[in-house]
Amino acid sequence: MLRVAVVGSGPSGVYTAQALLNQSLVPGVRVHVLDRLPTPYGLVRYGVAPDHEKIKSLQNSLRAVLEDERVTFVGHVQIGGADGVPPARLAELYHAVVYCVGAAADRPLAVPGEDLPGSWSATRFVSWYSAHPDIAPDDFALEARSAVVIGVGNVAVDVARILARGAEELRATDVPRAALGALAGSRVREVTVAGRRGPSQARFTTKELRELGALPGARITVDPAELARDPAYAAPDGLPLPAVVRRNLEVLRGWSAYGEPAAPDAVRRIRLRFFLRPVELLERGGRVAGVRFARTAPDGAGGVRDTGAYEDVEAQLVLRAVGYRGVELPGLPFDPVRGTVPHEAGRVLRDGVPSPGEYVAGWIKRGPTGVIGSNRSCAKETVASLIEDAPLLARRPAADDPLAVLRAWGLRPVEWDGWLSIERAEAELGRSLGRGPVKIPDWQGLLAAARGEEG
């Protein structure tokens, strides 16, 4: 029997477990899927917007894997860090360990004022309305009148949409109580989404873009002059462009013809801005008051150059959505430039040599690129390497009962029955509020629910 630990229960971790189950070369594989949270599904639970029900339904297929009798979910187990199980000790319990820990940090803007109160990473905002237990339920009061979202990817579009969406529309989702209350009392009336390059280089998908235009009570504006600066925007119809770029430009072209709303105070406005590079977050009264942008223009080589002109945009709330970055896990090698673990076809490299029994998959392997489905092929490559190594791995010592050892080390794992108890508690919380299931947003509440204790 080959015992494998998969660290991380998001898509990359579950797809890794699934690939292990589907292989036929090594019968009798048993997989423990470990996670520091007492809940499974990773970013599908804590990163997908609550109003994206179709994407969130991916939990059903992930669930089927985790409910397989050959798989054991082991939540509330920290690997690495001051309070966690070191990778070296974890390796003593299993024939192989696959790290699928994602990219937990945000890329910094690296501009003055970035750390002012009122300036947050978009990931933190997403975690807040997704009820991640690391984020305090009262982190965002939303007393700002104007917000700026820096970045033009799907995360930027998500947070702009949530800021502009009415709270009543979110009551049917699993948004936690505190976040729903804050959104109901939000004073935000204008949201500016800004990117340093042109619309043809934006990373949002057309579906996400169109959802902005479907928001009741919101008006989208796009500056025609900014669109016209993009060479692809003015390109002849016959010029080959990726389909998503052509569709995005068509949507933006339609919005650029709207002009300003007749009654600007009666609706929330979302401004999509391009060719603006943030150079400083402005301060007033000890808090963020705006963003100073350098105006950019195409440089003829696929990038942009500064034009020497600047523009200040008012904002009492700034959300930075310029990408994710992997975080070093103490005990594993790490490439600080790429933000990934060095590997060869998924095999962890230590000093350039594959480390027996150590593997990576997902964003910590390849960087924060691709969509959720990209993790499937990534996991298959890693598992192919693991199965190729299986004859040697099977000779390594492994614990007969790794969970018993973890408990002996003082940990209190939350297994699948504990997760089902959390699900029941969230359903009951929702019923008490006249809603569907509502997420429990704090560690104490989640662990109490996992153990069947009343909150």
Side-chain angles (χ1 to χ4, degrees):
M1 179 184 297
L2 192 69
R3 296 189 181 278
V4 180
V6 174
V7 181
S9 67
S12 63
V14 177
Y15 289 151
T16 297
Q18 185 178 47
L20 284 164
L21 300 183
N22 289 342
Q23 61 79 33
S24 59
L25 297 178
V26 182
V29 172
R30 293 295 182 268
V31 184
H32 284 184
V33 178
L34 282 62
D35 203 297
R36 76 178 187 90
L37 296 170
T39 57
Y41 310 137
L43 282 180
V44 177
R45 175 175 168 91
Y46 289 118
V48 174
D51 55 349
H52 276 176
E53 295 181 4
K54 184 175 181 180
I55 302 176
K56 289 176 73 69
S57 69
L58 177 62
Q59 292 183 16
N60 296 328
S61 60
L62 301 181
R63 183 188 198 99
V65 177
L66 294 174
E67 287 184 330
D68 189 286
E69 62 181 6
R70 296 165 291 177
V71 175
T72 302
F73 173 69
V74 187
H76 193 220
V77 173
Q78 171 75 42
I79 304 301
D83 301 320
V85 178
R89 295 198 73 184
L90 185 66
E92 298 171 3
L93 307 183
Y94 298 91
H95 295 109
V97 180
V98 186
Y99 292 92
C100 306
V101 294
D106 291 271
R107 288 178 56 195
L109 288 177
V111 301
E114 181 173 7
D115 296 325
L116 283 169
S119 167
W120 303 86
S121 73
T123 302
R124 190 176 186 89
F125 186 65
V126 171
S127 295
W128 169 73
Y129 65 62
S130 299
H132 196 294
D134 286 347
I135 308 301
D138 59 355
D139 256 9
F140 292 88
L142 301 184
E143 296 178 347
R145 300 180 307 278
S146 300
V148 167
V149 181
I150 299 174
V152 284
N154 280 343
V155 173
V157 174
D158 270 351
V159 299
R161 191 182 67 256
I162 295 298
L163 282 171
R165 186 180 283 286
E168 191 58 35
E169 301 167 54
L170 293 170
R171 277 186 57 82
T173 73
D174 57 7
V175 167
R177 283 180 292 178
L180 189 65
L183 290 165
S186 172
R187 299 181 182 178
V188 175
R189 290 296 175 266
E190 184 163 289
V191 181
T192 299
V193 182
R196 66 185 180 89
R197 298 197 290 181
S200 67
Q201 296 170 308
R203 294 183 177 272
F204 38 64
T205 59
T206 309
K207 180 181 181 294
E208 293 266 1
L209 195 59
R210 285 175 174 154
E211 285 177 344
L212 287 180
L215 291 175
R219 187 69 174 270
I220 316 297
T221 62
V222 182
D223 186 344
E226 291 180 350
L227 296 184
R229 289 190 183 96
D230 193 318
Y233 182 76
D237 290 340
L239 185 72
L241 290 173
V244 65
V245 171
R246 191 172 294 281
R247 290 194 298 266
N248 285 348
L249 293 178
E250 289 173 359
V251 173
L252 295 170
R253 182 178 288 110
W255 287 341
S256 70
Y258 284 172
E260 290 294 326
D265 294 331
V267 295
R268 284 190 172 97
R269 289 189 292 179
I270 302 175
R271 299 178 183 273
L272 295 179
R273 303 290 310 274
F274 300 98
F275 296 111
L276 293 175
R277 181 177 67 84
V279 294
E280 182 181 1
L281 271 59
L282 306 175
E283 179 266 340
R284 184 184 304 122
R287 294 183 57 83
V288 69
V291 182
R292 176 160 294 160
F293 290 100
R295 169 65 69 186
T296 64
D299 64 3
V304 293
R305 58 176 177 80
D306 287 355
T307 64
Y310 294 87
E311 179 179 341
D312 293 350
V313 177
E314 178 188 353
Q316 299 82 39
L317 172 66
V318 175
L319 298 174
R320 312 180 304 269
V322 293
Y324 295 95
R325 180 175 174 78
V327 177
E328 181 176 7
L329 188 68
L332 280 184
F334 187 71
D335 182 342
V337 176
R338 294 175 55 85
T340 58
V341 171
H343 73 94
E344 182 180 275
R347 296 179 177 94
V348 172
L349 298 177
R350 291 183 180 272
D351 298 323
V353 178
S355 176
E358 292 186 313
Y359 303 85
V360 285
W363 280 0
I364 198 62
K365 170 187 173 184
R366 67 181 192 276
T369 60
V371 295
I372 290 176
S374 306
N375 292 294
R376 194 182 296 274
S377 57
C378 176
K380 287 181 178 179
E381 180 192 53
T382 294
V383 168
S385 294
L386 192 156
I387 296 304
E388 185 179 323
D389 300 341
L392 292 176
L393 297 176
R395 300 175 192 169
R396 293 162 50 88
D400 291 333
D401 188 350
L403 281 180
V405 178
L406 291 174
R407 292 190 183 97
W409 289 348
L411 280 71
R412 298 184 64 188
V414 171
E415 296 182 60
W416 193 251
D417 284 347
W419 159 240
L420 295 181
S421 293
I422 292 173
E423 279 194 318
R424 289 192 293 270
E426 293 184 338
E428 178 57 36
L429 174 59
R431 280 193 292 271
S432 72
L433 299 171
R435 299 170 56 191
V438 173
K439 286 180 181 173
I440 297 170
D442 60 285
W443 278 98
Q444 182 178 354
L446 287 170
L447 294 176
R451 291 161 187 150
E453 303 168 7
E454 293 188 7

